[in-house]
Amino acid sequence: MSGRLVLALALGATVLAPLVAPTYHVLLMLPFMAYAVALLGLNLLFGYTGLVSFGHALFLGVGAYTGAFLTSVFKVRSMEVILVAAAALGALVAAPVGALCVRYVKIYFGMLTLAFGMVFYTFVLKFYRLTGGDEGMPFLRPTLLGRSIEGLPKTDYLAGPYYYYSLAVLVLATLVMWRIVHSPFGLCLKTIRDNPTKAETLGIGVARYRWCAFVISAVYAAVGGALLGPPTGNVDPTLAYWTQSGNIVFMTLLGGFASFFGPVLGAFVFIYLQDWVMSVVPFWRLIFGAILAAIVIAAPGGLAGLWVRRPSVEASSS
Amino acid sequence: MILRAEGLRKLYGEFCALDGVSLAISAGEFVSIIGPNGAGKSTLVNVLTGVLRPTAGAVTFRDRDVSGIGPARLARLGIARSFQLVQVFPDLTVLETLQAAVVSRLGHGARLFASLAADRAVREGALEIAELFGLGRKRHVPARHLPQGDKKLLDVASAFALRPQIILLDEPTSGVSTADKTAIMETLVSASKRIGVQAIIQVEHDMDIVFGYSDRIIALHEGRVLADGPPAAIEADRRVVDTVIGRRARAR
C-alpha cells in the first residue's frame, strides 16, 4: 500500500472519527494531535539534525502557560492569538537557550536541555502567585476563529469544534514542516546530522543551522503545548516536568525518528496504548519501559521503520 | 599570490608541530606538500583551512587574514578541502551530497520554505559535478553504499562543487587501489580546469603522484620547510632524498 494512500486513509478516518467513534476515544485524539504538532518540531531537531533534547517539555509548558495567562489573566480568548503568542514566546525563550545548548552535542546537549527544562519547571512550581504553583492555572475555553462557543457543553465543544480546529492546526503544521525538511535548509540539517565536520567544510555554518532547528522545534512544541490546554482546562507544572520530555522522546522513538510521519504515529500509539495499559494495570510505566526496550532491540527504526521500505542499492542504482 | 602563510607556528602544549613555516601559492599552481609522518603536514593543512588557529604567524587569502576563521567561512570565501580519511554523509545520496555543496555556494541554505527539488540551479550544478566525476549514474545511491574509491571521489567532488579558487586535497588517493589512483588524479585535474580552480594544494605520500602532477613541491620535516621548489630541484636535493623521499626517488 502506497504511503499516500495510507496517509489519505488516516486523514479520512481522523475527519470521520467524531461522527462514528465513541466520544471517549475522540477526546483521546486531542492530546494526540497536540503532541503530534510538538513531535513534528522535536523530530526536526532529533531525526533531521541529530540532536536529542531531553528538555522540550519546557516549550510545551511555555505554550500551555501562555494560553493560561492570556485567557485567565489578560482575558484574551482568541485561540489564534494564543497560538501566535505561544509560538512567539516559544521562539523568544528558545533563542537564548538554543544559543547555549547547540554549542554542545550528544549527551552534553541532552543534559543542558534537561537542565533548562528543570529550571522552567521549578520556576512555574515555586512562583505560586504568578503561576498558581502545583495547582496550576485555568486555561479558559478559547474562541475559535472568532466564534464564541460558550453555550456548548464542554464534551461537545471538545469533540466537535475544538477537535476539528486541532486537526486543522496539525495539518497546517505538517504541511509547513514537510516543506521545511524538503527545502535547501532541510538538506543542510541532514548534512549536519550525518557529518558535521564535513558539513562545515562545505561552508555550512553548523552552529547557526542547529540553532535555527532548535528555535523552530521550540515553536512547534509551544504550539502543541497551547493545544494541550483547553481539553484539561488547567495547566500545571507536571506538563513541564522532565518525564514529559521523556515521554515525547519515547513517542519519537516508538514511531521512528527516521521517518517524517514516524513521530506522529508514535504519538498516536503512545496515547492509546498508555490509556489502555493504565486501565489494565496500575504499574503502566513498567510495561512501557519493557516496550521501549523491545523497540530499541528489535526495531531501532521504530514502528514506521517496520513498514517503510528502504530503497535497495540495486533499485537506487537503476 | 592568492594564498600566503607567513611564519606559522603551532604548539600543542610543549610540542612544536609547525615551526616558522612560510609558503606562497600563486594562481595556476599545483603544489604538493610532502614529508615523513610527524612532519606537520596535517597541522599545516588544518591551519591553512582555518580549522586550527596558529600560535604565531598568519594565513592570508587574497590579502585578507583568514587565520583560524573556521572551515565554513573559509569555504564561503573560496578555499575548499577534502580529507585524508574519507568524509561523506552516509545517509545522503550522491546527488544530495553535491546539492548540499551547491546550496552552500549559492547561499540558498536560508530558504526554509523553498522546494529543493524545484531549485534548478542547485540541481543542475550538482548534476554537472556528478557527471564531471563520473558519478552521474550513481546519483541516487546513498553514500554509505558506494565503494571506497567512489566515496573518495564523492568527498573530492563535493569540494569541487563549491567552485573554490583554491582546493586543498589531503591525500586524495589514500585508501584507493593503485589502479584507481591515476584515474582519480586525472579526473580532479581535468575537473579543476573545467570549473576554474586557480590552485591545487595536495598532501600526498605517493611519490609517483607527487612528481607526476606537481608544478612545485614543498618538503616539510620536523615542522619546518626543508625545501620548496620544482620537482626536478626537489629530486636533486640530497636532504629531501635522505629525509623524505628515500630510495624511491633515486630509482626514478
Side-chain angles (χ1 to χ4, degrees):
Chain A
M1 199 184 294
S2 78
R4 285 184 183 182
L5 183 59
V6 171
L7 195 60
L9 288 174
L11 188 59
T14 310
V15 170
L16 293 175
L19 307 176
V20 294
T23 306
Y24 178 76
H25 287 113
V26 172
L27 294 181
L28 274 182
M29 289 291 283
L30 299 177
F32 150 65
M33 291 189 279
Y35 278 118
V37 171
L39 289 177
L40 285 168
L42 183 71
N43 207 39
L44 184 72
L45 201 58
F46 187 177
Y48 290 93
T49 318
L51 294 171
V52 187
S53 167
F54 289 114
H56 254 49
L58 155 62
F59 303 110
L60 285 175
V62 167
Y65 274 96
T66 300
F69 266 100
L70 284 176
T71 57
S72 60
V73 177
F74 297 104
K75 310 301 177 198
V76 174
R77 301 291 281 270
S78 163
M79 193 62 192
E80 295 76 54
V81 173
I82 290 168
L83 291 178
V84 170
L89 268 174
L92 200 66
V93 174
V97 171
L100 284 168
C101 292
V102 300
R103 295 156 67 115
Y104 303 89
V105 290
K106 297 181 180 173
I107 191 65
Y108 306 102
F109 174 81
M111 288 299 107
L112 259 180
T113 52
L114 177 63
F116 279 110
M118 290 309 291
V119 167
F120 180 75
Y121 168 76
T122 310
F123 172 81
V124 292
L125 184 68
K126 297 297 180 187
F127 283 73
Y128 187 87
R129 287 191 176 181
L130 190 66
T131 64
D134 57 353
E135 290 179 11
M137 295 182 74
F139 193 128
L140 303 177
R141 184 186 295 189
T143 64
L144 306 176
L145 300 172
R147 294 181 62 188
S148 174
I149 316 169
E150 288 294 341
L152 216 55
K154 184 176 181 182
T155 304
D156 293 347
Y157 165 77
L158 292 175
Y162 190 73
Y163 177 95
Y164 287 109
Y165 192 91
S166 297
L167 180 59
V169 173
L170 173 58
V171 169
L172 184 65
T174 304
L175 290 173
V176 171
M177 186 54 73
W178 179 267
R179 174 50 66 219
I180 289 174
V181 302
H182 292 93
S183 69
F185 172 80
L187 178 64
C188 291
L189 294 186
K190 290 176 213 168
T191 66
I192 292 166
R193 172 199 64 198
D194 272 19
N195 188 340
T197 304
K198 173 73 179 169
E200 195 86 33
T201 61
L202 291 185
I204 295 166
V206 170
R208 191 160 51 94
Y209 280 91
R210 280 180 174 150
W211 179 82
C212 287
F214 190 91
V215 172
I216 294 168
S217 75
V219 166
Y220 268 69
V223 169
L227 286 175
L228 279 171
T232 53
N234 192 66
V235 177
D236 67 58
T238 55
L239 189 63
Y241 197 47
W242 70 269
T243 51
Q244 278 291 342
S245 295
N247 282 350
I248 57 177
V249 172
F250 185 115
M251 292 177 198
T252 309
L253 286 172
L254 181 66
F257 63 87
S259 155
F260 181 82
F261 287 106
V264 177
L265 177 64
F268 180 81
V269 175
F270 182 96
I271 297 290
Y272 282 88
L273 195 62
Q274 182 190 42
D275 182 69
W276 178 72
V277 175
M278 283 173 82
S279 69
V280 177
V281 287
F283 38 91
W284 64 276
R285 287 187 191 278
L286 183 69
I287 306 291
F288 260 47
I291 292 171
L292 181 60
I295 288 169
V296 170
I297 294 165
L303 296 171
L306 296 173
W307 180 74
V308 174
R309 183 167 54 90
R310 283 190 173 277
S312 67
V313 184
E314 294 74 22
S316 29
S317 307
S318 60
Chain B
M1 297 299 164
I2 52 174
L3 184 71
R4 185 187 292 275
E6 285 185 60
L8 292 181
R9 267 173 72 81
K10 183 63 189 174
L11 296 172
Y12 295 111
E14 302 265 306
F15 177 71
C16 184
L18 292 179
D19 188 7
V21 171
S22 296
L23 55 87
I25 309 292
S26 302
E29 279 194 307
F30 189 128
V31 178
S32 290
I33 298 170
I34 61 172
N37 289 334
K41 302 187 298 295
S42 294
T43 301
L44 179 58
V45 168
N46 286 332
V47 170
L48 291 178
T49 53
V51 176
L52 294 176
R53 182 175 286 279
T55 311
V59 180
T60 52
F61 173 57
R62 295 202 178 281
D63 298 325
R64 175 180 176 170
D65 189 347
V66 294
S67 313
I69 68 166
R73 282 180 65 195
L74 208 52
R76 289 196 287 270
L77 285 174
I79 299 181
R81 74 171 290 184
S82 70
F83 292 84
Q84 178 186 356
L85 298 174
V86 71
Q87 297 276 349
V88 291
F89 304 115
D91 286 340
L92 299 191
T93 64
V94 168
L95 184 62
E96 287 172 325
T97 302
L98 299 175
Q99 280 179 313
V102 180
V103 161
S104 171
R105 171 168 62 83
L106 297 177
H108 290 188
R111 297 184 176 182
L112 250 77
F113 304 111
S115 165
L116 178 66
D119 195 329
R120 284 185 62 188
V122 168
R123 187 175 173 81
E124 285 170 9
L127 284 173
E128 182 193 355
I129 296 294
E131 293 299 335
L132 214 53
F133 280 81
L135 293 166
R137 291 182 63 195
K138 296 178 180 173
R139 62 186 181 277
H140 296 306
V141 179
R144 67 191 141 89
H145 290 318
L146 291 172
Q148 189 62 17
D150 285 345
K151 281 183 185 165
K152 194 83 187 177
L153 262 184
L154 180 59
D155 188 9
V156 175
S158 60
F160 274 85
L162 295 172
R163 292 188 178 272
Q165 296 174 49
I166 297 178
I167 190 152
L168 218 148
L169 307 166
D170 195 354
E171 300 198 29
T173 62
S174 71
V176 175
S177 69
T178 310
D180 288 339
K181 283 187 176 184
T182 308
I184 287 182
M185 291 306 294
E186 290 298 327
T187 300
L188 68 88
V189 167
S190 68
S192 63
K193 285 178 184 161
R194 176 88 172 267
I195 66 172
V197 172
Q198 293 186 18
I200 299 175
I201 306 168
Q202 70 162 354
V203 172
E204 184 57 68
H205 280 295
D206 187 321
M207 291 304 149
D208 291 331
I209 298 290
V210 168
F211 283 92
Y213 289 92
S214 308
D215 301 311
R216 189 153 61 91
I217 298 169
I218 298 171
L220 286 184
H221 183 55
E222 294 179 345
R224 294 178 182 177
V225 175
L226 189 65
D228 181 347
I234 295 295
E235 211 167 12
D237 190 318
R238 188 165 187 85
R239 293 171 307 159
V240 178
V241 171
D242 288 345
T243 56
V244 183
I245 305 173
R247 292 175 190 168
R248 192 187 311 201
R250 290 167 192 248
R252 284 166 59 90

